[in-house]
Amino acid sequence: MNLQRKPIITGNWKMNQKISEAIELVNGLKRELYDEEGIEIVICPPYTALSELGESLQDSNIQLGAQDLFWESSGAYTGEVSASMLKDVGCRYVIIGHSERRHYLGETNEMVAKKVRRALDEKLIPIVCVGERLEEREEGKTFEVVKDHLANGLSLVKKEEIHEVVIAYEPVWAIGTGKNATAGQAEEVHAFIRKLLGDVFDKTAAARVRIQYGGSVKPENIAELMEEEDVNGALVGGASLTIEGFSQIVKRAHIRVS
Ligand code: PEP
């Protein structure tokens, strides 16, 4: 692990947790993680719980993020939520281009690019998800797919902004399946991502970009993943839904920081 890049562990709650459940989970996380330093902790609850949790997380070491945003600033876009609305409820981060949105809702690289642009314009930190499906990996297309997601999804980002973007490498075959990529498989793609960012943007800036791994991260596998040079944290789905699961992941990632 490279200590110049502050590790970041993000919990993606997806479409889970009503407000009362969300408050219970956050209270538990605050209790377990209050003294964690040196690692950035982010939770991304559903929209309905953001406002309540924004208040509850004020003055805590846990930051708030959203799972998506819309690229326009306001107007007749039924069902959508803008970047400024997210900031209004206390969000600092936003996940963009998650594979579930790409595959179930038809989100394209072009949409991802516009969302990333809007997030940066509004000073939200985008967590941009990239990653191949199982058949693409089996056909040897992993690097091609990741390159396509990155080159097109980041097409509206300026050279001087790239260090602010967080990339989440999430092989689709590892999401929610219990089958995580090995540390070696993750590092191979993370190193490729960093090199690509260096070639497209700027090498010094690329060295500062945090690249999270996502896909069946659990307390049992986080430490091994975090030992890799280019793994700078994790995007956690299922295991972020329990106090024990998420706090153990943060603590075990943290052990490797010191
Ligand atoms: C995710 O959806 O971002 C994810 C990584 O999910 P899980 O940890 O459940 O595989």
Side-chain angles (χ1 to χ4, degrees):
M1 184 188 349
N2 185 315
L3 298 184
Q4 283 178 313
R5 303 185 274 266
K6 189 174 184 185
I8 171 170
I9 304 286
T10 307
N12 175 13
W13 292 7
K14 309 192 184 186
M15 198 172 70
N16 295 292
Q17 310 298 65
K18 298 192 181 104
I19 293 176
S20 58
E21 297 162 330
I23 291 171
E24 203 180 315
L25 180 47
V26 150
N27 285 342
L29 294 176
K30 281 185 356 188
R31 202 172 51 238
E32 290 295 321
L33 297 174
Y34 74 95
D35 60 350
E36 286 295 328
E37 288 171 10
I39 198 155
E40 219 154 325
I41 309 167
V42 182
I43 54 161
C44 300
Y47 285 140
T48 47
L50 285 176
S51 178
E52 191 85 27
L53 297 193
E55 304 232 330
S56 155
L57 292 175
Q58 270 178 21
D59 304 320
S60 100
N61 60 344
I62 301 175
Q63 310 207 55
L64 194 64
Q67 297 173 21
D68 188 32
L69 87 175
F70 192 57
W71 58 79
E72 294 292 347
S73 55
S74 66
Y77 303 102
T78 303
E80 297 296 340
V81 173
S82 73
S84 61
M85 289 169 179
L86 297 180
K87 286 189 69 188
D88 193 37
V89 291
C91 287
R92 178 141 190 261
Y93 287 86
V94 59
I95 297 172
I96 298 177
H98 191 280
S99 61
E100 285 152 13
R101 296 200 60 81
R102 291 179 190 262
H103 301 144
Y104 300 142
L105 298 157
E107 193 149 304
T108 62
N109 284 330
E110 290 66 34
M111 292 157 85
V112 169
K114 288 197 274 186
K115 290 180 178 193
V116 173
R117 183 66 260 150
R118 175 59 64 185
L120 290 169
D121 284 342
E122 301 274 353
K123 305 275 177 268
L124 280 169
I125 300 173
I127 298 175
V128 183
C129 303
V130 302
E132 81 288 359
R133 298 178 196 230
L134 182 59
E135 59 270 30
E136 291 166 333
R137 175 162 279 261
E138 286 173 348
E139 287 165 18
K141 292 185 177 156
T142 297
F143 297 115
E144 193 184 313
V145 172
V146 168
K147 184 176 178 183
D148 175 56
H149 286 169
L150 280 176
N152 294 307
L154 301 180
S155 61
L156 302 178
V157 176
K158 299 177 194 128
K159 207 186 247 191
E160 60 274 19
E161 295 170 322
I162 189 62
H163 68 278
E164 292 166 26
V165 175
V166 176
I167 305 293
Y169 168 56
E170 298 211 299
V172 180
W173 48 270
I175 296 180
T177 59
K179 186 178 184 295
N180 63 289
T182 63
Q185 283 172 319
E187 175 61 18
E188 187 184 26
V189 181
H190 284 222
F192 170 79
I193 291 171
R194 197 174 305 286
K195 161 119 187 30
L196 189 74
L197 294 177
D199 293 345
V200 174
F201 293 95
D202 170 83
K203 283 210 168 32
T204 313
R208 293 171 63 193
V209 172
R210 292 172 302 168
I211 308 173
Q212 299 182 302
Y213 166 76
S216 298
V217 171
K218 310 181 250 308
E220 295 74 30
N221 58 25
I222 184 67
E224 193 187 348
L225 286 158
M226 292 296 285
E227 278 183 12
E228 298 294 336
E229 167 75 15
D230 292 295
V231 176
N232 315 120
L235 180 53
V236 186
S240 72
L241 291 173
T242 65
I243 299 165
E244 174 74 5
F246 194 62
S247 54
Q248 279 302 317
I249 287 172
V250 172
K251 286 176 197 218
R252 292 182 193 191
H254 183 77
I255 286 167
R256 299 287 158 175
V257 178
S258 49

